Amino acid sequence: MNNVRMNSLRGRELFSYLPAYYETSRVMLSDMDAKGSELDALYQALNSAADQFFVRTATWGLAHWEMELGIPTDRNKPIEQRRAVLESKLRGAGTFSGALLKNVAEAYDGGTVEVFFQPEAWGFTVKFVDTLGIPPNLEDLKSAIEEIKPAHLAVGYAFNYLLIRDIHDVMTLGELGQTPLNKFAGGV
């Protein structure tokens, strides 16, 4: 090829299908680059549209998912939190059980969750096993659990915090200085 550069990936592919005598033609090179750029944009739009069909990859399509599932749209929430609410709502169908609660809670937290039932107290506890502090999406999780649990059961939440015995031999001063206070017991 001559010293004219092709910017389009698909333009290069289109150009490769042409006979060899076009290799020195700036006109054909520009033509294939322009057509290839349009194809690049089309493929990008198609891939973006396909991403909206799945909660884990949706961005601008989250509002459609929220409308379909009856969830109020809050564009001020981070996309990951909105996805967690949707995923939990999709997972939350079925007979009430510990497995269902665990599945829903893990969709919000992204970590391991354990559910402990206390039949004598007519309740259960959701324990966040590997999350330090209070998960950022806790209010949405509470709403989801209230929606799926039987009304007569009380729910409690147990959180993990860093304790002095946890940091004594494990964390360096640099790591300690970069750990937010809300990860410590009694932290703000």
Side-chain angles (χ1 to χ4, degrees), residues 16-110:
S16 72
Y17 297 132
L18 294 177
Y21 53 83
Y22 283 121
E23 285 182 10
T24 58
S25 172
R26 290 187 318 192
V27 171
M28 290 305 288
L29 191 68
S30 295
D31 183 46
M32 293 297 112
D33 192 38
K35 290 174 180 173
S37 294
E38 291 300 314
L39 284 173
D40 290 342
L42 173 65
Y43 277 83
Q44 184 178 6
L46 289 172
N47 288 335
S48 177
D51 285 346
Q52 307 317 305
F53 287 97
F54 306 95
V55 171
R56 290 186 179 166
T57 56
T59 52
W60 52 265
L62 287 175
H64 298 290
W65 279 98
E66 290 164 335
M67 183 181 70
E68 184 70 28
L69 295 173
I71 298 169
T73 299
D74 183 357
R75 296 187 194 278
N76 294 326
K77 278 188 184 177
I79 285 179
E80 288 305 317
Q81 285 186 7
R82 291 174 65 196
R83 285 180 181 154
V85 171
L86 289 166
E87 198 168 329
S88 175
K89 180 82 170 191
L90 290 170
R91 289 182 182 188
T95 304
F96 180 77
S97 67
L100 174 65
L101 276 172
K102 179 177 171 53
N103 199 2
V104 168
E106 286 179 348
Y108 278 94
D109 182 49

Side-chain angles (χ1 to χ4, degrees), residues 132-134 160-168 171-173 175-188:
L132 290 176
I134 297 174
N160 279 328
Y161 292 100
L162 283 172
L163 303 173
I164 291 176
R165 70 172 178 256
D166 298 330
I167 62 172
H168 183 62
M171 296 179 83
T172 66
L173 285 176
E175 293 170 332
L176 189 59
Q178 293 180 353
T179 305
L181 285 178
N182 66 354
K183 303 296 182 199
F184 293 94
V188 179

